[in-house]
Amino acid sequence: MTSLSASMIKRPVHPVGVWGWMTTIDHKKIGILYGITAFINFLIGGVEAIIMRAQLSGSNADIVSPEVYNQLFTMHGTTMIFLAIMPLGAAFFNYLIPLQIGARDVAFPRLNAFSYWVFLAGTLMLHLSWFLGESPNAGWFAYAPLTSTAFNPGHGVDFWVVSLQVLGIASLAAAFNFIVTIINMRAPGMHMMRLPLFTWMTLITAILLVLAFPVITVALLELLFDRNYGMNFFFTAAGGDPVLWQHLFWVFGHPEVYILILPAMGIVSEILPTFSKKPLFGYSTVILAGVIIAFMGWLVWSHHMFTVGLGPIPNTVFTITTMAIAIPTGIKIFNWIFTIWKGSVEFRTPMLFAVGFIVTFTIGGISGVMHAMSASDAQQQDTYFVVAHFHYVLFGGAIMGIFGALYYWFPKYSGKMYNEGQGKTHFWLMFIGQNLTFFPMHFLGMDGMPRRIYTYGADMGWTEVNALQTAGAIVIVLSVLVFMKNFIQSWRSGKQAPGDPWDARTLEWSISSPPPEYNFEEIPIVQDRDDWWAQKRGLVPRVAPSEGSGDGHGIHMPQASFWPLVAAIGIFVGAWGVIYSVPVLIIGAGIMIFGVYAWSFEPVNDPEPTASGDAN
Amino acid sequence: MSIFKRRPLVVITGLVLALAAACSDPHPQSTFDTHGPVSASQANIFYIIMYAGLVVFIGVMALIIYAAIRYRRRYDDKDPEQIHGNNTLEIAWTVAPALLLVAVAVPSIQTLWNTTITPEPAAMTVRATGNQWWFEFEIEELGVVTANELHIPVGEVINFELESKDVIHSFWVPKLAGKVDMVPNNTNTTWLQADDVGEYFGQCAEFCGESHANMRFKVVAESREDFDAWVEAQLAESVAPADPLVQQGHDIFMSIEAGCWACHTIRGSANAFGQVGPDLTHFASRRHMAAGIMENNHENLVRWLTDPNDVKPGNVMSRDAAVYNDPDQALSEPQVAALAAYLRSLE
């Protein structure tokens, strides 16, 4: 079989250009692909947000129809969560994990490429629904029975279901890959309690992904069957239970919140020590707090359902469990502050984002505890108070952390230095803009404005506050434009970056910027938690570089492969088949099976062609 | 120098004035302006946790700002001491927040139970049913059925049974009580009480489709005498039209062509017993129309009858009624005027 597939299409050897990117299995290139794709998604989700803010800037505005508005908020939420924040985290998992643990690649490089291409398939699928006029319109948590064909004819909800299933495959493949990589690929001496915090949070996130996605997969499959094959899990017309959907969705949905925020917590835990020149305060407590948050994340889902009518006993239980989550979160915040304490603090752009993260995330955390009180939550649930809360957590938390990471590791992945002045301008515009946009939402919510309404009357007293928020959103747009200018210009023509521009602490800074394809000339032997810092300060003996030639010659890296891409194309084609036609589904499945089959029989490395040219 | 010192004062004064101006507007759905025991106790919990949160926030911010200024890097800085942690501090910032949380949890959970379980005795039970996109209110023990405008006696406990005919809605009167969802196939219960006479705004709070934003209602709290009079008026059947224009409108309403009667009930009429749309027997007695989104007057009614989809996009009437989905059967202007006259006569 090997010879069959190999003779059919020749395996790419050292491909360059577009073909090189399409067949790459280098974790760094895949990380960059993830990052760019997810950032474009972030911009698309931002445009959706801006259209909504324009519609709400005054009472009785008529910029978009209610139907389009409903599609906009559904797509904004789905895009930002599944297509922007999660994959932006994945971009850094990909790029950094092997570098932080002293490995040459992830455990399953081709599976890694497969994850990216499947993620791209899900992305395209969801966005293309706009052009087919059938975007999902039931909100990002798609409560039944509004999703039933009786109330939602057309394919909008099907697009949402199938895209999320496809994205789930990508997430699960990536999660398994990172769990195995982190457990098995650590350099000698890099035992678990020496792992950098970002790697730890990635591991916890990946475990959450593996446990949470099966729940949503089942729920989505049941919804698909309800809609298309006459089954009846959630739809009330024939006795289904809409509350079952809510339980399934939030059992997934709350761990999902931590899937979004834990990577940002890891990022902040890297940036603060570097720019304070101090180790992370309470390293093991911060890890333990992360583990507890991840575990507790499974015990709080019904706080999304305080007004569903579960009764006072469940509401009491979930009030208590939700409040308890504030404790490990607080532990993290205090440890971060005490990392700065007595340090030598330098406010470069990444540090501004990290400290800004603590400020805004604390606000989001406090409003989270306010929501935990089910008694008063009855007034806040489904109002702009909730919108304020989760934007403080996801924008003020996750997005701030991700921008911090984009600056902090910019020298590493681009090999160039960014413009510090523009970076700081970006920070201040974004910090002010988000507070202008999201803080007044607390007041609006307490003033009785429900979320997801496309219009409101002039007599409601909400007009001025909404106008202020729209102004804040424009400031956020400006800040993102400043970032993009800085990012593109610096990557093209920035100053060359040294390997370790920040006098940092972890292994990725011990190699050149950008790192060579093989990452480490020689696999490092780790002797300290902050090994690179300890080496630089002479706290541990510096391991002498080997007699290597310095050009990486002789290091065997896995060869490029196009089978992950083929398998992903099969999934993409098949996904359209699920919505529109069974024969297309069969064709797609055929392509996928062929791709996986050929991939399975493809050796990691074809033998180097010999002088005689006989590869077999 | 003094002008620089005064400038922030000017700014702050301006902000305060602007805020005061904004606050003097009517805020018909403010959860702070409470008029009943349920909303008042919920607001009370909100204040407790908000002040506790504010204290925590100020403390955290003070630490961050102090650390950021005090420990800023200076040119001659050597590496700071490499401190790895402190167990006493870790225990302190685990235990202190836990104690604070317990302190706020106790009143919060008490309030949860008090606001969920109806106190005895309740004056009456109202069955509220959510529909895309309007509310039906039925007081079975009094025989009253109405839509989008519920009258209640002031100072009395009112019990609610919440249901839905189609998708999930949420029943919310911010000044009287927090929301409880209306879930199809699941009857929820809640209660509220108005302490002051007045008209209170309500709005559906769970996204329920295209015109979710246009699904509102009013609760009118009035004295026991006024309430009893309202019940009596609601129980009366409609009277036969006297005016010729009203008669014409009545005939259109009851015609096979227009078919309004197929979905709407007008008690006392010969054939209008429809169950799909709101009961219109006393339509003219309501202050607002089209689910609380506009005042009930002739112009608004004409606008609604001419093109309901323009007022409330996606509504069932404009989708299913032949006079709206078939241009050949559309109502003429005089027909709309007559229909409006008839509906406005249903006091």
Side-chain angles (χ1 to χ4, degrees):
Chain A
M1 273 332 283
T2 321
S3 54
L4 173 66
S5 65
S7 60
M8 280 171 68
I9 315 172
K10 212 165 158 22
R11 186 170 193 175
V13 181
H14 304 307
V16 289
V18 176
W19 195 235
W21 285 95
M22 289 177 75
T23 59
T24 186
I25 54 167
D26 177 1
H27 70 96
K28 297 181 289 299
K29 282 187 161 178
I30 292 169
I32 288 170
L33 286 173
Y34 257 112
I36 290 171
T37 313
F39 193 79
I40 292 169
N41 288 333
F42 175 70
L43 296 180
I44 294 171
V47 169
E48 287 158 0
I50 285 294
I51 300 171
M52 285 191 283
R53 283 285 4 131
Q55 167 74 12
L56 292 178
S57 60
S59 52
N60 299 317
D62 196 17
I63 292 166
V64 291
S65 70
E67 180 54 27
V68 171
Y69 187 87
N70 296 340
Q71 294 176 356
L72 281 169
F73 69 65
T74 304
M75 289 292 278
H76 169 72
T78 309
T79 302
M80 287 306 198
I81 289 167
F82 294 98
L83 305 183
I85 298 180
M86 278 176 74
L88 278 166
F92 288 103
F93 303 165
N94 267 286
Y95 202 95
L96 292 170
I97 296 305
L99 300 184
Q100 286 202 326
I101 63 175
R104 292 213 166 107
D105 207 320
V106 295
F108 308 114
R110 284 175 294 185
L111 186 66
N112 207 21
F114 173 77
S115 298
Y116 170 74
W117 295 113
V118 174
F119 155 66
L120 185 65
T123 298
L124 290 175
M125 181 113 199
L126 194 62
H127 289 324
L128 286 175
S129 68
W130 280 118
F131 300 100
L132 298 164
E134 295 187 312
S135 279
N137 60 0
W140 88 274
F141 40 78
Y143 274 5
L146 190 59
T147 46
S148 70
T149 38
F151 304 107
N152 219 319
H155 284 306
V157 172
D158 295 324
F159 267 106
W160 184 81
V161 168
V162 176
S163 307
L164 289 198
Q165 291 289 41
V166 171
L167 292 165
I169 296 170
S171 291
L172 283 174
F176 282 116
N177 206 346
F178 283 104
I179 293 172
V180 176
T181 303
I182 294 170
I183 302 291
N184 282 358
M185 306 282 284
R186 284 167 290 140
M190 178 64 88
H191 55 69
M192 293 305 279
M193 292 317 273
R194 279 185 184 161
L195 280 183
L197 237 292
F198 179 73
T199 303
W200 251 112
M201 292 303 129
T202 302
L203 177 63
I204 297 171
T205 305
I207 291 170
L208 277 180
L209 273 168
V210 165
L211 296 173
F213 261 81
V215 184
I216 189 76
T217 303
V218 168
L220 289 171
L221 206 64
E222 291 179 350
L223 178 57
L224 190 77
F225 275 55
D226 272 9
R227 281 179 62 84
N228 295 299
Y229 308 116
M231 297 190 90
N232 199 44
F233 293 100
F234 310 121
F235 299 157
T236 41
D241 186 3
V243 180
L244 173 64
W245 167 265
Q246 299 190 14
H247 282 296
L248 288 174
F249 188 88
W250 291 116
V251 166
F252 151 78
H254 203 82
E256 171 70 16
V257 173
Y258 296 112
I259 290 168
L260 296 169
I261 195 67
L262 283 169
M265 289 176 160
I267 289 164
V268 169
S269 307
E270 298 287 321
I271 296 174
L272 292 171
T274 294
F275 291 99
S276 307
K277 290 200 183 263
K278 264 184 70 205
L280 184 72
F281 196 88
Y283 170 87
S284 35
T285 334
V286 175
I287 292 169
L288 185 64
V291 174
I292 292 173
I293 288 173
F295 178 74
M296 297 284 295
W298 294 95
L299 308 177
V300 298
W301 79 92
S302 277
H303 69 209
H304 299 269
M305 302 164 61
F306 277 153
T307 64
V308 172
L310 301 178
I313 293 174
N315 284 4
T316 302
V317 171
F318 284 95
T319 292
I320 293 168
T321 55
T322 307
M323 288 169 76
I325 260 190
I327 298 170
T329 314
I331 290 173
K332 286 201 165 210
I333 289 172
F334 286 119
N335 278 298
W336 288 327
I337 295 174
F338 273 73
T339 303
I340 308 176
W341 205 264
K342 293 192 173 174
S344 168
V345 183
E346 188 181 19
F347 281 99
R348 298 264 195 166
T349 308
M351 187 63 172
L352 286 175
F353 275 99
V355 175
F357 166 98
I358 304 179
V359 174
T360 43
F361 183 74
T362 302
I363 297 175
I366 290 171
S367 60
V369 179
M370 295 170 92
H371 280 303
M373 310 289 157
S374 52
S376 51
D377 184 63
Q379 290 284 22
Q380 297 155 13
Q381 169 72 354
D382 277 315
T383 71
Y384 264 83
F385 197 93
V386 180
V387 182
H389 161 69
F390 66 69
H391 280 92
Y392 265 91
V393 175
L394 294 183
F395 196 104
I399 291 289
M400 290 287 275
I402 285 164
F403 273 115
L406 283 169
Y407 283 105
Y408 180 59
W409 282 289
F410 186 85
K412 188 51 61 186
Y413 60 77
S414 73
K416 305 286 176 57
M417 298 303 289
Y418 63 83
N419 180 312
E420 195 67 58
Q422 288 175 16
K424 286 180 178 172
T425 310
H426 168 204
F427 169 77
W428 286 110
L429 283 176
M430 185 166 265
F431 188 74
I432 293 165
Q434 64 168 318
N435 282 300
L436 268 182
T437 310
F438 303 125
F439 201 79
M441 286 182 181
H442 294 107
F443 297 101
L444 266 189
M446 296 313 288
D447 203 19
M449 182 164 170
R451 67 194 286 201
R452 297 176 167 181
I453 57 172
Y454 74 96
T455 191
Y456 54 90
D459 56 337
M460 303 307 287
W462 301 331
T463 315
E464 293 84 359
V465 183
N466 269 296
L468 178 70
Q469 290 173 184
T470 304
I474 293 168
V475 178
I476 295 178
V477 171
L478 287 178
S479 75
V480 174
L481 290 177
V482 171
F483 166 77
M484 287 169 66
K485 176 179 181 289
N486 190 358
F487 188 83
I488 293 168
Q489 274 186 354
S490 303
W491 200 324
R492 275 196 186 153
S493 51
K495 213 167 64 129
Q496 209 64 37
D500 181 18
W502 314 129
D503 191 13
R505 315 177 74 86
T506 40
L507 282 181
E508 73 269 28
W509 302 104
S510 69
I511 52 178
S512 65
S513 299
E517 195 198 340
Y518 46 84
N519 296 349
F520 296 91
E521 176 78 11
E522 182 165 318
I523 296 301
I525 296 165
V526 179
Q527 305 163 82
D528 193 277
R529 190 174 288 159
D530 289 327
D531 194 66
W532 175 235
W533 170 273
Q535 280 189 44
K536 284 187 290 186
R537 296 296 188 273
L539 305 173
V540 294
R542 201 160 186 166
V543 182
S546 70
E547 300 289 309
S549 57
D551 59 1
H553 192 76
I555 296 176
H556 279 270
M557 295 302 292
Q559 262 169 278
S561 170
F562 40 69
W563 297 120
L565 177 59
V566 171
I569 289 171
I571 289 177
F572 184 64
V573 172
W576 290 90
V578 173
I579 296 178
Y580 287 114
S581 105
V582 174
V584 176
L585 170 63
I586 294 169
I587 294 169
I591 299 173
M592 185 196 74
I593 291 167
F594 176 70
V596 172
Y597 193 73
W599 163 2
S600 311
F601 285 95
E602 182 184 58
V604 174
N605 277 325
D606 282 323
E608 293 280 346
T610 55
S612 67
D614 180 14
N616 295 315
Chain B
M1 242 356 242
S2 62
I3 187 143
F4 287 107
K5 277 189 182 161
R6 246 197 323 237
R7 195 175 279 165
L9 258 183
V10 173
V11 173
I12 289 168
T13 316
L15 277 175
V16 168
L17 284 178
L19 205 65
C23 291
S24 65
D25 289 344
H27 288 267
Q29 291 186 184
S30 170
T31 61
F32 296 124
D33 182 22
T34 60
H35 288 273
V38 176
S39 58
S41 58
Q42 288 166 337
N44 187 39
I45 295 302
F46 176 84
Y47 282 123
I48 292 174
I49 178 70
M50 185 192 72
Y51 286 122
L54 204 59
V55 169
V56 171
F57 180 72
I58 291 170
V60 170
M61 288 308 110
L63 281 176
I64 291 178
I65 292 167
Y66 176 81
I69 294 170
R70 170 72 182 77
Y71 301 113
R72 248 192 131 108
R73 188 172 303 170
R74 282 156 189 84
Y75 287 110
D76 55 344
D77 264 7
K78 296 190 179 63
D79 282 350
E81 194 193 339
Q82 302 290 296
I83 308 164
H84 288 275
N86 181 312
N87 284 342
T88 317
L89 276 177
E90 300 287 356
I91 291 165
W93 59 53
T94 306
V95 173
L99 292 176
L100 181 66
L101 286 172
V102 170
V104 291
V106 172
S108 170
I109 289 165
Q110 279 176 337
T111 303
L112 166 69
W113 284 75
N114 292 339
T115 53
T116 310
I117 311 288
T118 313
E120 299 288 339
M124 62 185 193
T125 298
V126 178
R127 184 180 302 129
T129 308
N131 295 265
Q132 280 182 321
W133 291 278
W134 60 282
F135 291 88
E136 181 176 79
F137 298 110
E138 181 181 5
I139 312 171
E140 207 174 68
E141 60 215 58
L142 302 176
V144 172
V145 178
T146 185
N148 303 323
E149 183 174 304
L150 174 68
H151 289 237
I152 57 169
V154 78
E156 298 185 35
V157 172
I158 314 294
N159 234 333
F160 282 84
E161 286 176 2
L162 305 175
E163 290 173 0
S164 170
K165 276 256 180 69
D166 37 50
V167 301
I168 300 177
H169 303 278
S170 195
F171 177 82
W172 188 30
V173 195
K175 292 193 179 191
L176 298 181
K179 62 191 74 64
V180 178
D181 293 352
M182 309 168 113
V183 185
N185 288 4
N186 293 266
T187 302
N188 280 334
T189 56
T190 188
W191 71 281
L192 56 74
Q193 173 184 323
D195 287 339
D196 306 293
V197 170
E199 185 185 274
Y200 301 101
F201 282 47
Q203 182 158 13
C204 174
E206 182 66 67
F207 177 63
C208 57
E210 191 170 356
S211 264
H212 166 56
N214 299 318
M215 184 170 166
R216 293 162 55 183
F217 65 103
K218 301 284 185 295
V219 172
V220 178
E222 53 200 4
S223 67
R224 189 73 211 186
E225 299 78 60
D226 290 348
F227 174 74
D228 289 339
W230 175 79
V231 170
E232 203 173 322
Q234 293 292 314
L235 289 177
E237 296 198 334
S238 66
V239 287
D243 182 272
L245 185 64
V246 172
Q247 179 67 50
Q248 195 197 333
H250 168 271
D251 295 346
I252 295 168
F253 194 96
M254 304 301 170
S255 68
I256 296 287
E257 291 75 33
C260 312
W261 51 273
C263 292
H264 295 284
T265 292
I266 295 179
R267 276 177 290 117
S269 73
N271 58 344
F273 303 115
Q275 295 292 318
V276 177
D279 184 308
L280 298 175
T281 311
H282 298 284
F283 172 78
S285 74
R286 299 176 200 150
R287 303 173 189 187
H288 294 82
M289 53 169 288
I293 61 175
M294 53 193 191
E295 205 184 312
N296 188 354
N297 59 33
H298 184 75
E299 294 75 49
N300 282 341
L301 186 54
V302 166
R303 200 183 138 210
W304 169 254
L305 291 172
T306 308
D307 187 1
N309 200 52
D310 183 52
V311 177
K312 189 187 283 189
N315 76 78
V316 173
M317 184 164 82
S318 57
R319 187 189 69 199
D320 290 351
V323 291
Y324 296 117
N325 64 21
D326 180 356
D328 295 339
Q329 299 189 47
L331 297 166
S332 68
E333 239 173 85
Q335 283 178 314
V336 167
L339 208 46
Y342 172 58
L343 291 172
R344 299 274 303 153
S345 77
L346 298 169
E347 301 237 329

